């Protein structure tokens, strides 16, 4: 946790560190628990916050699209495997100031490790 926290603070000095996840991959209710990144724009436009992807799965195309269209850059920590390494995801959740997420497995993990 402290290693991640120190690295994020060095990369994004003075910023509030916020993890963000916007989709659920669950087959049954996943679409109902997913919010397109465009709907998060009022929040994502804050310049005092650095958003860090807390989303599992391959979402690079979505991140590239939001960066291209709105110049919003959500950081992806390549050292955290958010799909296969729950210990790293738990550490990441604790290294952040806040996690904002739809209802998915990472939401429950973040709440359980607080």
């Amino acid at each position: 946790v402290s290693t991640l926290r120190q690295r994020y603070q060095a990369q994004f000095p003075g910023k509030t560190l916020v993890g963000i996840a916007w989709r659920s991959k669950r087959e049954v209710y996943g679409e109902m628990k997913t919010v397109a990144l465009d709907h998060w724009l009022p929040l994502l436009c804050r310049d005092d916050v650095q958003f860090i992807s807390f989303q599992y799965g391959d979402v690079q195309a979505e991140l590239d699209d939001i960066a291209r269209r709105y110049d919003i850059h959500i950081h992806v920590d390549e050292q955290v495997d958010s799909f296969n390494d729950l210990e790293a995801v738990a550490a990441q959740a604790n290294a952040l100031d806040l996690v904002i997420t739809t209802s998915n497995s990472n939401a429950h993990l973040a709440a359980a490790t607080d």
Side-chain angles (χ1 to χ4, degrees), residues 59-69:
V59 293
Q60 194 59 54
E62 289 174 271
L63 296 176
D64 291 345
D65 182 59
I66 205 86
R68 179 184 50 77
R69 290 192 299 141

Side-chain angles (χ1 to χ4, degrees), residues 3-84:
T3 300
L4 283 172
R5 178 83 180 164
Q6 289 172 3
R7 184 160 36 96
Y8 293 155
Q9 287 177 324
Q11 282 179 281
F12 311 109
K15 301 272 186 170
T16 301
L17 304 169
V18 177
I20 186 168
W22 56 95
R23 74 173 49 255
S24 171
K25 298 276 185 170
R26 189 165 184 219
E27 288 183 27
V28 178
Y29 298 109
E31 280 301 311
M32 294 181 352
K33 300 190 305 181
T34 296
V35 179
L37 279 173
D38 290 35
H39 295 318
W40 299 80
L41 286 177
L43 183 63
L44 295 174
C45 289
R46 293 184 57 118
D47 58 2
D48 60 332
V49 174
Q50 175 59 52
F51 290 95
I52 297 172
S53 178
F54 198 63
Q55 181 62 56
Y56 55 83
D58 183 9
V59 293
Q60 194 59 54
E62 289 174 271
L63 296 176
D64 291 345
D65 182 59
I66 205 86
R68 179 184 50 77
R69 290 192 299 141
Y70 303 105
D71 197 31
I72 294 170
H73 300 278
I74 299 172
H75 176 71
V76 175
D77 188 338
E78 299 292 340
Q79 295 180 14
V80 175
D81 181 347
S82 59
F83 194 74
N84 295 307

Side-chain angles (χ1 to χ4, degrees), residues 54 89-90 93-94 98-101 104-114:
F54 198 63
V89 175
N94 280 296
L98 178 69
V99 172
I100 301 172
T101 178
N104 66 25
S105 58
N106 285 353
H108 301 286
L109 184 61
T113 59
D114 186 28

